[in-house]
Amino acid sequence: MQKQTRSEVLERFRQGFLGRHQSCAEWKNKGRGVIGCFYGLVPREVIHAAGLLPVQLTEERDGRLEEKAGLLPFLCGMSKNITGQIYEGRYDYLDGILVGAVCDTNRHVLDIWAHRKVVPYLRLLRTPSTANPAAWSFYAADLRRLAEELGRMGGQRVTEQRLWESIGLYNENRSLMEKFRHSRQALGISAEDALYVFASSLVMPVEEHNSLLRSLLEGPAQAPGSASGTPGVLVSAMNLNMALDLIRLVEEYGGQVVADDLSHSARYGLSKIALEGEPFLALAKGYLRRVPTPGIYSFQERAEDLAEQMRLSGARGLIYLVQLYCDAFAMEYAILKERFDLWGIPHMRLEAEDNPASLQQLNVRVQSFLESLV
Amino acid sequence: MEESPSKEQTPDLKSMLKKLSAGASYRRMLAAREQGKPICVASAAVPVEVLYAMDVYPVFPESLAAIAAGIRKAEEFFEAAREKGFSNSVCSYTRCGLGIAWTQKSAFGPIPEPDLFITDVSVCCLHVTWWAYLEDHFKKPTFYMDMPATDDPWDPDYVAYYEEQIRAMVRFIEENTSSRLSMEKLKEAVRNSDLAGLYWKKILELRQDRPSPVSFRSLAGEILPLVTALGDKDCADFYWALYESYKQQASQGYCPAQGGERFRLIWNGIPIWHHLQVITYFEEKGANFVWEPYTALSWGNKTPSGRLDAENPFHTLAEKYTNVLTNMPLERRFGYFDQAIRDYKVDGLVMFSNRSCRPQSIGQDEVVEMVRDAHGLPVLIFEGDQADAEGFSMQEAKTRIDGFLEVLEGRKRS
């Protein structure tokens, strides 16, 4: 693949994410259904198998949206932002929204959406917080009911064969994302471009994303762009806009983001669904306590994964970015911190809101942290 | 079903209070440790009747946090949480509870090292992370009473899943301690719990009287055994004695509101433990709280029949503990307010918008909207925190309360 071609591919990822509302509206205009997924615990395979397009609800940088939502001031900006987008009609193409509870805010914002009847179909997944035969069986039963409901909506019955095919496609996507994660530096892809590769996976049809990823990974390796002496860091973040701000801030102060832990992508890419047994049960086993969400995933595995990413990427420090009022991630940090301290991993927590000024105010801390890594 | 704990005379309330006070609970915990009984750090809404029947002594971090906040001894625990990297946006019960766990101290003295951790994830998602932290940090056997998020807690499949969780909890305790479940003891614990819940309900019903003889400030303290001591006969006796006491007060026309009960109010949310004098201030101004979802819907016998069936202990406890208000759609939650406003002849609402408790606070504005549409009642909304006093100003609260009461007064005159 020529360099220009790689740029084109990267641009398609970027536009895939930034132009998501338009693409989804076009999909809808072709008579096909679109289902919004609120956070990473929604098994998109079931939506896909019903012939519907799963689209992660993601934040959009627009200061008016939080105000439009009218939610309580102490709730996280992401829930307010997404609620604002829904109220403003930016998600009018949605046929429904599925909520997989990862925190109290995302679970209970659903109550308000239901009350205001924001979409024709709104469903809370009954996701156990444990992983054992009883929990798998309970969750699989809920997924079967979900499949029936979505099948009626999408006009395509979710058969076992269709579901296995969908699982296969998403497993392929997971493998490709994992490969990308490890080869990003060798391919000479910037942290900002990498963010769009991840972000587009949340909103693009999986077939298209797989195809683009294959194109990207087939290209020749390049020398890593990191100048010697430039401190490389790993950025862990939930909010994509804020992650982008932080990447730019790190670069502004002479650092380089050599690896990222964007929770959407980490949740999405780490664990494949085993292709054995009955597909709903396989999904249950693949999702319950296998998606890195604070509290319902092993802290040890999570910390080890971050440490391993740092080792592979040569990152010298870790910046853990928490969106203000996200208590789940605020708690996760406090727990992971104990291990980082024990293992001698330089790390820093930043807590900010989703607006450029909020993070900019922390620039001195970022600068000092980077200097401490040189 | 029998409606009094024994055929004896009503127990003496003062002596029962001494047995069930927070300090007495602490001393009983120490005695339990002396006797070699397992000590379990349990979250609110763990079926405590089962723990009682299995001779497992529960310690409830949320209750300890509320008590520490109430006597203004929580700050050192918050400070411990800050030192560990916990942001102030994390629930104050969690921060305070973890501070208690790290320091192994409580408002009453040192806490013995626990043997087990059990949480019930129905109350909030943070319970999972909180207990996961305890498990991770203290390396003790930990059990998660799984209750997936739902907006249909009455679904029989859901109740059946939880019933199995209770059985799994019993197996967990048996596998990790020498305690064994006696079905007879469990049935007795459920009978005692049922009676405690029954008398609690009767106490709350007395508040339909005009004036209501019950002070919310008093209830906020008297609710403690309903959280921590269910299963114990003393607990049932306590609520029986308390009911008799309130009944007597009602017959004498007693009213906690000074100068007579001018306004009858609803309080929504957990009490502000660090400033319970907010409630007193209302009472000083002639306003009396007569209904709260916290006292009426969060504790007690929450089964469809309002009673517990001791002959089917696992099922009846599953019905009780799956009935979680915040797992219900907002229209259903409004339905409770709607009914209470009619039954208790309510003049206005005070909504506590609690920074720490997202499940209770999210959707509150929508409920207020429905109440205003249906009843046109004045509503005062407070923002604050249940246990962390940072940023709270009593003077500011008084100013807002005064303004609210003037509105109520104006409506009375017109």
Side-chain angles (χ1 to χ4, degrees), chain B residues 50 62 65 82 113 136 173 206 219 235 237 256 271 291 309 331 390 393:
Chain B
V50 178
E62 288 128 310
R82 270 192 289 274
E113 190 178 338
D136 184 71
I173 293 170
L206 288 175
L219 276 188
C235 179
D237 282 348
W291 189 81
D309 177 5
E331 289 72 18
E390 190 179 299
S393 157

Side-chain angles (χ1 to χ4, degrees), chain A residues 49-50 147-148 150-152 154-160 162:
Chain A
E148 280 176 27
L150 293 179
R152 282 195 294 274
Q156 177 173 296
R157 200 165 74 83
V158 180
T159 61
E160 286 207 2
R162 282 199 180 112

Side-chain angles (χ1 to χ4, degrees), chain B residues 146 180 196 208 223 297:
Chain B
D146 195 22
R180 296 293 175 265
Q208 291 184 15
I223 204 169
L297 305 173

Side-chain angles (χ1 to χ4, degrees), chain A residues 116-266:
Chain A
R116 299 204 182 281
K117 299 184 174 56
V118 297
V119 282
Y121 174 81
L122 185 59
R123 192 184 197 280
L124 179 62
L125 294 170
R126 288 180 174 183
T127 314
S129 55
T130 53
N132 54 48
W136 292 326
S137 166
F138 181 80
Y139 190 47
D142 195 45
L143 293 182
R144 280 185 209 103
R145 283 192 292 270
L146 173 70
E148 280 176 27
E149 292 163 20
L150 293 179
R152 282 195 294 274
M153 187 189 299
Q156 177 173 296
R157 200 165 74 83
V158 180
T159 61
E160 286 207 2
Q161 190 190 336
R162 282 199 180 112
L163 187 52
W164 280 128
E165 285 167 8
S166 299
I167 291 171
L169 278 169
Y170 281 92
N171 270 353
E172 185 187 0
N173 197 247
R174 290 182 176 97
S175 296
L176 291 167
M177 295 279 274
E178 190 70 356
K179 199 171 167 192
F180 172 71
R181 188 184 182 196
H182 292 305
S183 48
R184 196 262 277 183
Q185 278 194 84
L187 290 169
I189 293 171
S190 72
E192 187 165 333
D193 282 335
L195 181 139
Y196 286 112
V197 173
F198 289 132
S200 57
S201 74
L202 308 170
V203 294
M204 235 182 211
V206 65
E207 297 86 346
E208 189 184 345
H209 200 261
N210 283 350
S211 167
L212 284 175
L213 272 173
R214 278 194 296 271
S215 301
L216 191 69
L217 292 166
E218 276 163 9
Q222 292 178 355
S226 167
S228 66
T230 303
V233 295
L234 185 152
V235 163
S236 177
M238 169 83 179
N239 182 305
L240 296 170
N241 294 322
M242 292 170 68
L244 205 52
D245 286 342
L246 182 56
I247 288 167
R248 290 171 183 165
L249 199 58
V250 167
E251 288 171 357
E252 189 183 327
Y253 288 106
Q256 194 180 14
V257 176
V258 293
D260 54 43
D261 169 60
L262 305 172
S263 46
H264 289 311
S265 62

Side-chain angles (χ1 to χ4, degrees), chain B residues 202-368:
Chain B
K202 284 169 174 272
I203 290 167
L204 300 185
E205 283 169 355
L206 288 175
R207 304 168 90 191
Q208 291 184 15
D209 288 3
R210 195 181 271 270
S212 155
V214 182
S215 158
F216 174 40
R217 168 121 194 208
S218 304
L219 276 188
E222 288 155 357
I223 204 169
L224 182 69
L226 214 55
V227 182
T228 61
L230 286 178
D232 190 340
K233 183 175 177 298
D234 284 345
C235 179
D237 282 348
F238 166 68
Y239 286 110
W240 178 23
L242 189 66
Y243 167 67
E244 293 297 338
S245 163
Y246 276 128
K247 198 167 68 169
Q248 193 182 5
Q249 287 183 358
S251 69
Q252 294 164 352
Y254 169 78
C255 172
Q258 291 179 19
E261 187 182 81
R262 288 197 53 71
F263 311 111
R264 295 167 63 81
L265 304 177
I266 284 177
W267 175 279
N268 185 51
I270 294 170
I272 306 176
W273 296 115
H274 51 82
H275 274 91
L276 286 173
Q277 56 267 47
V278 166
I279 304 170
T280 311
Y281 189 70
F282 275 100
E283 292 175 353
E284 284 169 7
K285 298 279 179 173
N288 199 10
F289 289 99
V290 293
W291 189 81
E292 308 84 21
Y294 181 73
T295 55
L297 305 173
S298 297
W299 309 102
N301 298 342
K302 301 187 296 171
T303 57
S305 67
R307 300 299 298 266
L308 300 182
D309 177 5
E311 293 308 306
N312 293 293
F314 288 107
H315 184 68
T316 201
L317 291 176
E319 281 192 322
K320 170 184 170 177
Y321 285 99
T322 48
N323 188 356
V324 175
L325 180 66
T326 50
N327 278 340
M328 298 175 193
L330 294 180
E331 289 72 18
R332 179 77 181 226
R333 288 187 233 171
F334 162 70
Y336 289 114
F337 279 85
D338 185 50
Q339 193 63 48
I341 288 166
R342 294 169 204 278
D343 291 347
Y344 290 80
K345 310 282 186 290
V346 170
D347 300 306
L349 277 74
V350 180
M351 311 292 273
F352 178 38
S353 188
N354 183 350
R355 281 199 302 271
S356 272
C357 190
R358 269 80 157 173
Q360 287 202 10
S361 298
I362 299 174
Q364 206 173 52
D365 289 348
E366 285 67 22
V367 171
V368 164

Side-chain angles (χ1 to χ4, degrees), chain A residues 104 107 111 115 338-339, chain B residues 125 133 136 146 150 331 333:
Chain A
D104 292 308
R107 182 259 171 270
D111 297 335
H115 174 64
E338 292 183 359
R339 286 179 171 82
Chain B
C125 292
Y133 180 90
D136 184 71
D146 195 22
T150 185
E331 289 72 18
R333 288 187 233 171

